[in-house]
Amino acid sequence: MTSDLGFVGRAPDSLDDAAMLAVAQRRAQFLADASRTVSGSLNLPHTVRRSLTACVPHLADWAQIMLIGRDGASYTSLVVNKTGTSSAARRHPDADGVDGQSRLLVTGRPELLHVSLEQDPLEPDGLLALVPDERMREQVAALRPADVLGLPLTARGTTFGTLTLARRTGFGFVAEDISIAEELAVRIALALDAARRYAERAGVATVLQASLRPPELPKLEGSALAARYRAASADAEIGGDFYDAWGSPDDWSFVLGDVSGKGVEAAVVTGQARHTVRGASAVDRDPAAVLRALNTMLDGTASGRYVTAVYGRVRRQPCGALHVKVASAGHPPPLAVRASGSVEPVAVRGLAAGLVPEVEYTPAEVTLSPGDTLVLYTDGVTEARHHSVRDGTRRLTELLSQYAQVGVDALVEAIEIAVLEGSDGTQRDDLAVLALRAAAS
C-alpha cells in the first residue's frame, strides 16, 4: 500500500528546500528500485508482473500493460483494493482490443484522462479509449472519479505496447507525477523489449533444434536401429550434433556428425550438412564421394565452421549379415561390437570437412554378422567426466562389451546414463549416439 506521504511522485504542500530534497531523493530511490525490479528476469510474463508491481501501489492504484504480439494484443492488470492487490490477464486475438489505444501506439505521446462519476465509460474518447477490456474497465470505474494516464512503451525506435495507470479520487496526476511515470515507462519498455527479444530468440532456437533432429529412425528388415541425442544443457544454445538414416531395407545409409561451435550459425551448418549428405548419396552412395561433397559444400559457405562426420552405406547379405562400407571425416571411428562381447574400432580416418578445399577419404569395410552391432558416437560421449579421449574410449569399450547382448535401445540408453552419471550435472558437450545391429536369425 502507499506510504503516509502519498504516491511517490506527489510533491508536498510545503515547498521548503528540505521537503523538496526529500521528495527528489524518494523519487530517485524509487526509480532505482523499480529498475532493479523490472530488469530482474528475462521471462516475459514475469517481467510484465514485475513491471506492474513496480507501479502499484507506489505510483498508482491500478496499472495495465498492453503488448502487441503476432497473435494480437495481451492485457495484464494489477489493482489495489480493500483486500490488497489482485491481477487479471486478457488476450484479444488479431487487432481486436487495440483500436482504443491506437493513438498511444501511433503518436508515442502520453494521454491523460479524467473519469468522472457521470461520464459514460463506453464513450470512444472516454475510459474505453485507454482500457478496452470490459472487466479491467470495471476495476478502474470502481476508483471514480479517477485520473487515467496512458503511456507508450517504446524501445529501439518501436512502440510495441502501452502502460496505463489509474489513481483514485483526490490523487490525480500532476506534472511531476507524469514526469516520473514517463521515466518509469522507459525503464519498463527496455526490460520488456529485452524479454521479448530473448523469448523470440529462444523460440527460434527451439524451432531450429526441432527441425534439425532427424525424423523417427526407419524400421529396416534384418536390421535394428537406435539413437540418443542430448544437448549439453536444457537452456544451452543450439548444438551441432546430428544423425540420420535413410534408404531401402536392402541398401541404406547412415550419418552421424558434429559441427564446430554452437548457436544459430552452427545450426544452419548442421542443416546444410545433413541435406548435403542426403543429396550427395542420391547421386553416388560411395562414402568417399559423399564426404567429398560435404567438404566442398562447407568450403563454399565461408562460414568458418568445420564438420566431423561418419557416413556409411549398408547392404544386406543373403545370409543375414550386413556389409558396411564407411568413411570418416575427422570423426571418432565407429566401434564394432561383436555378439561375443569383443569390441574393435573400424579403421577409418580422414580430415574434418571444411578445413581445406580438397580432401581424399579412404573407406573401410566391415561385416556385421547376426547379433553384431556398429556404434557411432560424438566426442560428448568419450570426453565426458573431463577424461582424455583415450581414457573415454576405453571406458566406452568396456561398457559396450558388457552390453553386447542387450537390445540396441537399451545399449544406447546405457551409454547416455553412463555419461550423465559421470558428469556431476555439468554435461560439457552435446551427446549423440547411433547404433545399428544385424538382426539375429
Side-chain angles (χ1 to χ4, degrees), residues 5 17 103 106 120 149 155 202 214 231 235 238 246 266 352 367 392 396 437:
L5 295 175
D17 292 344
R103 287 197 302 272
V106 172
D120 182 359
L149 177 63
D235 58 351
I238 301 171
W246 65 97
T367 299
L396 175 61
R437 173 174 295 172

Side-chain angles (χ1 to χ4, degrees), residues 163-365:
L163 171 66
T164 306
L165 306 174
R167 285 184 174 183
R168 63 193 181 277
T169 180
F171 287 90
F173 290 97
V174 294
E176 59 265 31
D177 301 330
I178 297 175
S179 176
I180 196 170
E182 287 181 306
E183 290 188 47
L184 178 58
V186 170
R187 289 161 169 76
I188 289 175
L190 292 174
L192 290 173
D193 181 61
R196 290 168 72 239
R197 293 176 64 188
Y198 182 82
E200 290 172 359
R201 182 181 179 185
V204 169
T206 300
V207 171
L208 276 173
Q209 188 67 75
S211 69
L212 293 175
R213 293 189 184 184
E216 183 178 353
L217 290 173
K219 297 185 182 300
L220 302 170
E221 185 178 353
S223 306
L225 286 171
R228 280 291 187 278
Y229 173 87
R230 179 182 285 271
S233 63
D235 58 351
E237 293 182 310
I238 301 171
D241 289 9
F242 65 95
Y243 62 85
D244 204 353
W246 65 97
S248 63
D250 293 328
D251 192 349
W252 53 278
S253 300
F254 63 81
V255 65
L256 181 141
D258 185 0
V259 176
S260 63
K262 298 184 184 298
V264 174
E265 290 183 358
V268 171
V269 176
T270 299
Q272 291 174 333
R274 274 187 54 200
H275 293 307
T276 297
V277 169
R278 274 212 177 208
S281 69
V283 178
D284 188 341
R285 303 286 295 280
D286 181 71
V290 171
L291 292 183
R292 282 197 302 270
L294 176 62
N295 184 70
T296 300
M297 182 278 295
L298 291 170
D299 182 59
T301 61
S303 64
R305 306 279 177 177
Y306 63 88
V307 175
T308 68
V310 174
Y311 169 85
R313 180 180 184 181
V314 183
R315 282 178 283 192
R316 188 179 171 202
Q317 305 298 301
C319 61
L322 298 178
H323 178 267
V324 184
K325 190 176 183 180
V326 61
S328 171
H331 202 83
L335 297 176
V337 184
R338 303 301 179 182
S340 62
S342 65
V343 180
E344 58 194 49
V346 180
V348 288
R349 59 189 306 175
L351 194 63
L355 294 178
V356 297
E358 295 184 7
V359 183
E360 288 299 324
Y361 297 99
T362 303
E365 299 184 22

